Amino acid sequence: MSEPFITAKHRVLRRSVRAFCIDELGPIAAEIDQEARFPWEVVEKMGPLGYFGIQAPQKLGGAGLDALSYAIIIEEVSRVSAAIGLCLSVHNSVALYPILAFGSPEQHARWVPELASGRRIGAFCLTEPNVGSDASAISATALPVEDYWLVNANKVFVTNGGIADVCLIFARTDPQAGRKGISVIVVERGIKGFVVGDLEDLCGMRANPVSSIRLYDCQVPRENLLGRSGQGLAIGLAALDTGRIGIAAQALGIAQAALDEAVRYANQRQQFGVPLARHQAIQMMIADMATDVDAARMMVYRAALLKDQGAPVSRAAAQAKLFASEAACRVTDLAVQIHGGYGYSKAYAVERYYRDARVTRIYEGTSEVHRMVIAREVLG
Amino acid sequence: MSVHMIVCIKSVVREAPQGVGRRTPENSELNPYDRPALEAALRLKDQTGGRITALSMGPPVGIEALAEARAMGVDQAVLVSDAALAGSDTLATARVLGAAIRQLAPFDLVMFGIRTSDSDTGQVGPQTATVIGLPFLGGVKAIEPETDRWKMKRQMDDWEETWQVTLPAAVTIHPRAFLPRPIPLVGIAQAHDRIDVQTWRLTDIGLKTDDVGLAGSPTRVAKLEKIKHQRTCRMLAGEPREQVEALIAELTTMGKIPS
């Protein structure tokens, strides 16, 4: 079926990324999930190929690709290993992107080449034990003392937390100023008082080292403030707008993988003397799954394309994220159903897809928060 | 030593068409057997320096395959495309490629994939070498540049031959000998954001309409029909060891594995 939005560049990119992921991540995807192991051996190959600086400018060591290319790459990586797709999505869109968009030339020179080459990994630290969707209620602080920021923070569910070198910490620089007193401070792993907590034992995305990051009286240089003092929530929202496209693309990749496996199994498994695919009940499921995947893809690519055109993207990105994540849960659920008992077994990949899909409705804004964003835009 | 390598590539049809297929960007891709040839050229360039030209003949959709070759690291890309070329068989194709290769002279090595994934004749490489009178080696799996004659290895069944070859020469590359490198994302961005592929017409390579296309082709595909394989399933009885032995005996009898 011919596709709108796609150019020769995107086709080559898709084939090339797909081949790389099938070769390198395919053989280990199930194992790294079960062992909750981050596959450095593959990530170290992805760095020089540009996967950690997909949209960063070429003069800063990035690949200089557009948002649609970015979505396609995250989709294809997630199709094979959603946990590695997650690592790339967070690194590229909510760690590297805010530095590019809000950083000074000095900050670009300091962090972008290292991040874009994958020599250092980025993380986005907003969530706290008592703060999820209500980001303005964070309690982390970064107080101006002498010539540094004194940072205290307890950040949880940090994607890439166990391996991150460059962390965007959301903290109150002016505790009296409420929402307007929140800023982003870039904190580098290894400084005194920087503690990486235990890795979370998660349902899915297990190859990603999600952990807490705690900062105890960290003295961070003043020049590590990203953007202006008090600009934290604006930076966070801009990052999440971009991030939504990545998470939506990730959900799309998982859904496509589940559909592929379901089709393969339905054609191969015989019941009542014919392949499952000959039973109308299964045909109905496959039709719904294919339609969900197609619709999700159109929405994700449209949001990316709008971003490339410089058009407002909040609503399109929120709709894409909402729809793709919920579609991924429906599609993976049906894929398990088609596999029957085998689908509930770790011997089949759909079991992993089912677990991986679930969190896409939760992180980088829950489905409910996305509905709020969309309703606000629709109702005016 | 600075060498000029010309790699002839093809944009192939991905899925077998019903009847005569129309080429579209969606159903076309760089012939997978050409990737090892491009990889072999890139490795030689890493070793000796020099430059690589990718050359293709076909409809404009071939620009995509050439852009992909550029993304891999090829220096120059040329597409010979002309309505008069439609219906060219392998000999006519070899004439066109040969004329374009002469146009690209001086060159040292002309490289081809061993075959294409869509028409699968394996003839264009050797025919092109013949048309322009170059020494030819097929299925090359190793190339060692030397000052005088280059050393090249090829495999025939259980034998490995080592040849000394005077350049310029033409070779086809063994598909498993040069595993193509993954393409860096920045290469794709640079090759596609400004497509740099020269398009030559028939007049640019000094050929006449009668030399090519249906008029210049002594052979033509009269009919294309999909073959339906009859598949049967037979269960082997006995313990696993007996089943394996029975399977090996059966496959040996069928000539599928060596005895």
mmCIF file of all heavy atoms in Angstrom, chain B residues 19 21 23 37 43 46 55 66 72 84 91 116 129 141 154 173 175 188-189 213 222 230 234 237 243 253 257:
data_model
loop_
_atom_site.group_PDB
_atom_site.id
_atom_site.type_symbol
_atom_site.label_atom_id
_atom_site.label_comp_id
_atom_site.label_asym_id
_atom_site.label_seq_id
_atom_site.Cartn_x
_atom_site.Cartn_y
_atom_site.Cartn_z
ATOM 1 N N GLY B 19 2.142 -10.192 -14.112
ATOM 2 C CA GLY B 19 2.385 -9.726 -15.476
ATOM 3 C C GLY B 19 3.576 -8.786 -15.459
ATOM 4 O O GLY B 19 4.494 -8.940 -14.663
ATOM 5 N N GLY B 21 5.364 -5.666 -14.402
ATOM 6 C CA GLY B 21 5.162 -4.769 -13.276
ATOM 7 C C GLY B 21 5.559 -3.346 -13.595
ATOM 8 O O GLY B 21 6.466 -3.103 -14.371
ATOM 9 N N ARG B 23 7.241 -0.045 -12.181
ATOM 10 C CA ARG B 23 8.136 0.306 -11.082
ATOM 11 C C ARG B 23 7.601 1.520 -10.337
ATOM 12 O O ARG B 23 7.328 2.542 -10.944
ATOM 13 C CB ARG B 23 9.530 0.674 -11.627
ATOM 14 C CG ARG B 23 10.197 -0.414 -12.410
ATOM 15 C CD ARG B 23 11.047 -1.287 -11.497
ATOM 16 N NE ARG B 23 11.798 -2.226 -12.307
ATOM 17 C CZ ARG B 23 12.999 -1.980 -12.784
ATOM 18 N NH1 ARG B 23 13.578 -0.829 -12.548
ATOM 19 N NH2 ARG B 23 13.622 -2.872 -13.499
ATOM 20 N N ALA B 37 28.806 -5.556 -3.241
ATOM 21 C CA ALA B 37 29.721 -4.956 -4.227
ATOM 22 C C ALA B 37 30.085 -3.534 -3.797
ATOM 23 O O ALA B 37 31.254 -3.121 -3.887
ATOM 24 C CB ALA B 37 29.078 -4.951 -5.615
ATOM 25 N N ARG B 43 35.490 -0.671 1.103
ATOM 26 C CA ARG B 43 36.653 -1.169 1.849
ATOM 27 C C ARG B 43 37.942 -0.902 1.076
ATOM 28 O O ARG B 43 38.961 -0.556 1.657
ATOM 29 C CB ARG B 43 36.510 -2.671 2.120
ATOM 30 C CG ARG B 43 35.510 -2.930 3.219
ATOM 31 C CD ARG B 43 35.555 -4.383 3.660
ATOM 32 N NE ARG B 43 34.259 -4.753 4.178
ATOM 33 C CZ ARG B 43 33.923 -5.994 4.517
ATOM 34 N NH1 ARG B 43 34.784 -6.982 4.371
ATOM 35 N NH2 ARG B 43 32.710 -6.249 4.988
ATOM 36 N N ASP B 46 38.779 2.633 1.566
ATOM 37 C CA ASP B 46 39.374 2.842 2.895
ATOM 38 C C ASP B 46 40.860 2.480 2.878
ATOM 39 O O ASP B 46 41.676 3.093 3.545
ATOM 40 C CB ASP B 46 38.679 1.958 3.953
ATOM 41 C CG ASP B 46 37.254 2.419 4.240
ATOM 42 O OD1 ASP B 46 36.921 3.564 3.872
ATOM 43 O OD2 ASP B 46 36.477 1.624 4.813
ATOM 44 N N LEU B 55 26.892 3.414 -10.789
ATOM 45 C CA LEU B 55 26.281 3.579 -12.110
ATOM 46 C C LEU B 55 25.066 2.673 -12.201
ATOM 47 O O LEU B 55 25.114 1.521 -11.785
ATOM 48 C CB LEU B 55 27.319 3.207 -13.190
ATOM 49 C CG LEU B 55 26.829 3.107 -14.630
ATOM 50 C CD1 LEU B 55 26.392 4.477 -15.146
ATOM 51 C CD2 LEU B 55 27.945 2.539 -15.510
ATOM 52 N N LEU B 66 20.506 4.986 -6.205
ATOM 53 C CA LEU B 66 21.791 5.687 -6.306
ATOM 54 C C LEU B 66 22.008 6.619 -5.116
ATOM 55 O O LEU B 66 23.130 6.753 -4.615
ATOM 56 C CB LEU B 66 21.862 6.460 -7.627
ATOM 57 C CG LEU B 66 22.082 5.550 -8.850
ATOM 58 C CD1 LEU B 66 21.657 6.251 -10.127
ATOM 59 C CD2 LEU B 66 23.543 5.117 -8.952
ATOM 60 N N MET B 72 25.772 5.499 1.529
ATOM 61 C CA MET B 72 26.764 4.526 2.013
ATOM 62 C C MET B 72 28.176 5.075 1.930
ATOM 63 O O MET B 72 29.065 4.586 2.614
ATOM 64 C CB MET B 72 26.679 3.227 1.203
ATOM 65 C CG MET B 72 25.449 2.395 1.508
ATOM 66 S SD MET B 72 25.334 0.939 0.429
ATOM 67 C CE MET B 72 26.530 -0.155 1.205
ATOM 68 N N ALA B 84 13.883 5.202 -24.548
ATOM 69 C CA ALA B 84 14.277 4.220 -25.562
ATOM 70 C C ALA B 84 14.844 2.943 -24.948
ATOM 71 O O ALA B 84 14.974 1.922 -25.619
ATOM 72 C CB ALA B 84 15.315 4.844 -26.496
ATOM 73 N N LEU B 91 21.910 -8.100 -22.854
ATOM 74 C CA LEU B 91 22.956 -7.665 -23.789
ATOM 75 C C LEU B 91 22.850 -6.162 -24.044
ATOM 76 O O LEU B 91 23.851 -5.440 -24.021
ATOM 77 C CB LEU B 91 22.866 -8.460 -25.103
ATOM 78 C CG LEU B 91 23.947 -8.131 -26.138
ATOM 79 C CD1 LEU B 91 25.341 -8.418 -25.578
ATOM 80 C CD2 LEU B 91 23.730 -8.921 -27.424
ATOM 81 N N THR B 116 20.832 -10.260 -9.710
ATOM 82 C CA THR B 116 19.818 -9.366 -9.158
ATOM 83 C C THR B 116 18.733 -10.203 -8.513
ATOM 84 O O THR B 116 18.532 -11.362 -8.871
ATOM 85 C CB THR B 116 19.189 -8.479 -10.250
ATOM 86 O OG1 THR B 116 18.665 -9.325 -11.273
ATOM 87 C CG2 THR B 116 20.207 -7.533 -10.829
ATOM 88 N N ALA B 129 31.586 -6.781 -19.236
ATOM 89 C CA ALA B 129 33.039 -6.950 -19.373
ATOM 90 C C ALA B 129 33.390 -7.318 -20.806
ATOM 91 O O ALA B 129 34.354 -6.798 -21.390
ATOM 92 C CB ALA B 129 33.523 -8.021 -18.396
ATOM 93 N N LYS B 141 35.742 -13.072 -3.811
ATOM 94 C CA LYS B 141 35.497 -12.947 -2.374
ATOM 95 C C LYS B 141 36.607 -12.226 -1.622
ATOM 96 O O LYS B 141 36.483 -11.970 -0.423
ATOM 97 C CB LYS B 141 35.198 -14.301 -1.744
ATOM 98 C CG LYS B 141 36.184 -15.384 -2.109
ATOM 99 C CD LYS B 141 35.827 -16.680 -1.433
ATOM 100 C CE LYS B 141 36.225 -16.629 0.025
ATOM 101 N NZ LYS B 141 36.141 -17.925 0.685
ATOM 102 N N ARG B 154 38.605 -16.292 -5.565
ATOM 103 C CA ARG B 154 37.219 -16.702 -5.800
ATOM 104 C C ARG B 154 37.063 -18.157 -5.396
ATOM 105 O O ARG B 154 38.046 -18.897 -5.296
ATOM 106 C CB ARG B 154 36.801 -16.475 -7.247
ATOM 107 C CG ARG B 154 37.588 -17.253 -8.271
ATOM 108 C CD ARG B 154 37.204 -16.811 -9.676
ATOM 109 N NE ARG B 154 35.816 -17.110 -9.961
ATOM 110 C CZ ARG B 154 35.390 -18.268 -10.470
ATOM 111 N NH1 ARG B 154 36.241 -19.243 -10.746
ATOM 112 N NH2 ARG B 154 34.111 -18.472 -10.719
ATOM 113 N N ILE B 173 30.897 -9.704 -7.343
ATOM 114 C CA ILE B 173 31.300 -9.897 -5.956
ATOM 115 C C ILE B 173 30.445 -10.982 -5.300
ATOM 116 O O ILE B 173 29.222 -10.982 -5.425
ATOM 117 C CB ILE B 173 31.156 -8.563 -5.181
ATOM 118 C CG1 ILE B 173 32.134 -7.516 -5.746
ATOM 119 C CG2 ILE B 173 31.360 -8.752 -3.684
ATOM 120 C CD1 ILE B 173 33.602 -7.843 -5.545
ATOM 121 N N PRO B 175 28.234 -12.748 -2.797
ATOM 122 C CA PRO B 175 27.276 -12.043 -1.933
ATOM 123 C C PRO B 175 27.563 -12.146 -0.436
ATOM 124 O O PRO B 175 27.153 -11.278 0.313
ATOM 125 C CB PRO B 175 25.921 -12.688 -2.274
ATOM 126 C CG PRO B 175 26.245 -13.949 -2.981
ATOM 127 C CD PRO B 175 27.590 -13.780 -3.623
ATOM 128 N N ILE B 188 22.495 9.270 5.256
ATOM 129 C CA ILE B 188 21.166 9.296 4.623
ATOM 130 C C ILE B 188 20.676 10.730 4.523
ATOM 131 O O ILE B 188 20.165 11.158 3.485
ATOM 132 C CB ILE B 188 20.179 8.412 5.421
ATOM 133 C CG1 ILE B 188 20.635 6.946 5.357
ATOM 134 C CG2 ILE B 188 18.761 8.560 4.880
ATOM 135 C CD1 ILE B 188 19.832 5.992 6.212
ATOM 136 N N ALA B 189 20.862 11.505 5.609
ATOM 137 C CA ALA B 189 20.411 12.905 5.591
ATOM 138 C C ALA B 189 21.138 13.668 4.485
ATOM 139 O O ALA B 189 20.508 14.359 3.673
ATOM 140 C CB ALA B 189 20.667 13.552 6.955
ATOM 141 N N GLY B 213 16.948 -1.094 -25.975
ATOM 142 C CA GLY B 213 15.506 -1.330 -25.917
ATOM 143 C C GLY B 213 15.138 -2.618 -26.630
ATOM 144 O O GLY B 213 15.989 -3.481 -26.859
ATOM 145 N N ALA B 222 8.993 -13.589 -22.958
ATOM 146 C CA ALA B 222 7.721 -13.775 -23.665
ATOM 147 C C ALA B 222 6.564 -13.895 -22.688
ATOM 148 O O ALA B 222 5.435 -13.508 -22.974
ATOM 149 C CB ALA B 222 7.796 -15.005 -24.551
ATOM 150 N N GLN B 230 4.133 -27.320 -5.040
ATOM 151 C CA GLN B 230 3.316 -28.287 -4.320
ATOM 152 C C GLN B 230 4.055 -28.668 -3.052
ATOM 153 O O GLN B 230 5.149 -29.214 -3.103
ATOM 154 C CB GLN B 230 3.081 -29.528 -5.195
ATOM 155 C CG GLN B 230 2.105 -29.302 -6.341
ATOM 156 C CD GLN B 230 0.716 -28.888 -5.871
ATOM 157 O OE1 GLN B 230 0.242 -29.358 -4.845
ATOM 158 N NE2 GLN B 230 0.072 -27.985 -6.610
ATOM 159 N N ARG B 234 5.513 -34.854 5.409
ATOM 160 C CA ARG B 234 5.579 -36.271 5.749
ATOM 161 C C ARG B 234 6.207 -36.379 7.125
ATOM 162 O O ARG B 234 7.242 -35.767 7.391
ATOM 163 C CB ARG B 234 6.421 -37.014 4.707
ATOM 164 C CG ARG B 234 6.255 -38.505 4.744
ATOM 165 C CD ARG B 234 6.654 -39.109 3.389
ATOM 166 N NE ARG B 234 8.019 -38.739 3.009
ATOM 167 C CZ ARG B 234 9.108 -39.286 3.555
ATOM 168 N NH1 ARG B 234 8.990 -40.221 4.477
ATOM 169 N NH2 ARG B 234 10.312 -38.919 3.167
ATOM 170 N N ALA B 237 9.055 -41.262 11.491
ATOM 171 C CA ALA B 237 8.757 -41.988 12.734
ATOM 172 C C ALA B 237 10.042 -42.353 13.466
ATOM 173 O O ALA B 237 11.147 -42.206 12.942
ATOM 174 C CB ALA B 237 7.967 -43.255 12.390
ATOM 175 N N GLN B 243 14.973 -40.358 13.467
ATOM 176 C CA GLN B 243 14.338 -39.351 12.604
ATOM 177 C C GLN B 243 15.392 -38.514 11.898
ATOM 178 O O GLN B 243 15.285 -38.216 10.709
ATOM 179 C CB GLN B 243 13.442 -38.429 13.441
ATOM 180 C CG GLN B 243 12.188 -39.101 13.965
ATOM 181 C CD GLN B 243 11.333 -38.119 14.746
ATOM 182 O OE1 GLN B 243 11.333 -36.935 14.470
ATOM 183 N NE2 GLN B 243 10.600 -38.624 15.721
ATOM 184 N N THR B 253 19.636 -38.188 -0.676
ATOM 185 C CA THR B 253 19.088 -38.818 -1.888
ATOM 186 C C THR B 253 18.534 -37.760 -2.844
ATOM 187 O O THR B 253 18.689 -37.848 -4.054
ATOM 188 C CB THR B 253 17.944 -39.788 -1.512
ATOM 189 O OG1 THR B 253 18.379 -40.560 -0.410
ATOM 190 C CG2 THR B 253 17.587 -40.686 -2.667
ATOM 191 N N ILE B 257 21.670 -32.024 0.166
ATOM 192 C CA ILE B 257 22.909 -31.847 0.936
ATOM 193 C C ILE B 257 23.954 -32.815 0.397
ATOM 194 O O ILE B 257 23.595 -33.881 -0.120
ATOM 195 C CB ILE B 257 22.699 -32.066 2.468
ATOM 196 C CG1 ILE B 257 22.051 -33.435 2.759
ATOM 197 C CG2 ILE B 257 21.856 -30.957 3.077
ATOM 198 C CD1 ILE B 257 21.941 -33.737 4.254
#
